[in-house]
Amino acid sequence: IYMRLSKDDGNEESQSIQSQREILSAYVEKQGWTIVDEYADDGYSGTNFERPNFKRLIEDIELGRIDLVITKDLSRLGRNYIQVGYYTEEYFPEKNVRYIALNDNFDSQKPENDIAPFKNILNDMYAKDVSRKVKSAKHQRARDGLVISGQAPYGYIIKEHKFVVDPNAAKVVQLIFALAGEGMGEV
């Protein structure tokens, strides 16, 4: 079973990955199959395939350990429609690996998969649309003078989405500037 989620929700493992695992494990058990291994890329974008556990999955396919890959849906495999299409239409069939995307009713052993390329295109478009919206929101926050980074530089803290001088660190920064003004630190 392969599971993926773009953003970690802060837990040791995200709720979505746990949910995907439960859904996929229940399906496998219902079919009477055996899970050879679990592959989970938590916090990795589906727009590229440079994911550690996806690579491990491919290595195991190359070693002949796997003859079936199951994901919750096509977007869990990836959101780049060309690469997803490569794996579902070329790579998996060449390696005699059956692929199932449970919620999309995709099963490479069944002929009713005509809609899959369109779903892959929509998944790709969704990723690009979200990316554009996030960038736009960050640009607007910056134009509004709000902090868009997650961490303040030394000497500042973030308060109400703005950089504010950290009174404790200010003393250290003032000392550094005073010493530099006196020539200390010059080579």
Side-chain angles (χ1 to χ4, degrees):
I1 59 177
Y2 179 74
M3 301 152 287
R4 184 195 60 76
L5 182 69
S6 293
K7 298 281 184 192
D8 187 2
D9 69 359
N11 295 336
E12 188 70 26
E13 184 178 82
S14 74
Q15 294 289 347
S16 178
I17 293 292
Q18 292 172 14
S19 173
Q20 290 176 54
R21 178 180 291 111
E22 290 168 8
I23 291 166
L24 298 174
S25 297
Y27 177 78
V28 168
E29 185 178 322
K30 183 178 176 184
Q31 303 305 312
W33 298 335
T34 301
I35 295 175
V36 173
D37 207 340
E38 293 182 2
Y39 306 83
D41 285 313
D42 197 354
Y44 287 87
S45 171
T47 58
N48 77 65
F49 284 77
E50 295 300 314
R51 301 176 237 141
N53 278 295
F54 184 79
K55 287 180 173 183
R56 188 170 65 85
L57 171 74
I58 297 301
E59 288 171 11
D60 286 347
I61 289 171
E62 292 295 326
L63 293 171
R65 290 187 64 219
I66 297 171
D67 61 2
L68 170 62
V69 173
I70 306 173
T71 60
K72 180 182 164 208
D73 55 48
L74 287 160
S75 71
R76 297 307 92 204
L77 183 63
R79 289 194 181 272
N80 178 312
Y81 80 94
I82 293 173
Q83 287 185 288
V84 171
Y86 163 73
Y87 284 106
T88 59
E89 302 294 325
E90 293 181 36
Y91 181 79
F92 291 152
E94 282 175 11
K95 300 296 179 182
N96 294 316
V97 171
R98 181 179 179 186
Y99 173 66
I100 296 173
L102 211 54
N103 288 352
D104 287 326
N105 293 317
F106 180 94
D107 184 339
S108 61
Q109 285 191 344
K110 296 182 180 174
E112 305 88 28
N113 295 318
D114 294 343
I115 196 73
F118 299 103
K119 286 184 178 184
N120 290 333
I121 289 171
L122 291 173
N123 289 333
D124 189 312
M125 290 172 64
Y126 173 80
K128 289 175 182 171
D129 185 49
V130 167
S131 177
R132 275 191 298 271
K133 287 176 181 174
V134 168
K135 285 178 187 172
S136 174
K138 282 186 176 183
H139 287 295
Q140 186 59 49
R141 288 177 61 85
R143 282 190 294 273
D144 292 344
L146 301 175
V147 174
I148 59 173
S149 66
Q151 189 173 354
Y154 183 75
Y156 294 91
I157 56 174
I158 299 173
K159 192 171 186 176
E160 298 177 15
H161 307 289
K162 296 201 179 246
F163 289 132
V164 177
V165 173
D166 179 353
N168 296 326
K171 295 172 188 160
V172 176
V173 172
Q174 289 167 351
L175 176 62
I176 291 169
F177 275 90
L179 293 172
E182 294 172 9
M184 191 172 251
E186 292 181 13
V187 179

